[in-house]
Amino acid sequence: MTVTLLGADLVAQAPGTGGLQGWIQDNIVPLILLGIAIIMLWIGGKGDNAGVARRSIGLLIGLVALGIALTPGAGARVGAFFAQLITG
């Protein structure tokens, strides 16, 4: 469907999540990581190095999960890798 408004053609498009997913990948994830880095530096400045180490391990596990979630087909490849470890 095409609508002409003041000489400009507007084309109706089906709604999708591609724009939202791209925005999240481009903006939200770096802001969350920046916030986490600032919190880690603040905790480390207090002298709680063991707390920083514990939270860093959790952060790395979370980043791996996020990377798997955002990469198309990565979940199937990870599952095949673990299945190959068991079956040989």
Side-chain angles (χ1 to χ4, degrees), residues 17-30 70:
T17 59
L20 178 62
Q21 183 181 12
W23 187 85
I24 289 172
Q25 288 176 347
D26 293 341
N27 297 311
I28 295 295
V29 173
L70 294 177

Side-chain angles (χ1 to χ4, degrees), residues 1-72:
M1 178 173 119
T2 304
V3 177
T4 303
L5 181 65
L6 298 175
D9 290 334
L10 301 175
V11 179
Q13 297 178 351
T17 59
L20 178 62
Q21 183 181 12
W23 187 85
I24 289 172
Q25 288 176 347
D26 293 341
N27 297 311
I28 295 295
V29 173
L31 287 174
I32 290 172
L33 293 177
L34 179 63
I36 290 171
I38 290 171
I39 290 170
M40 293 291 190
L41 289 173
W42 179 57
I43 293 171
K46 291 174 139 182
D48 185 16
N49 293 330
V52 171
R54 277 193 313 270
R55 287 172 181 86
S56 297
I57 297 298
L59 175 64
L60 288 176
I61 292 170
L63 288 175
V64 167
L66 182 65
I68 291 171
L70 294 177
T71 305

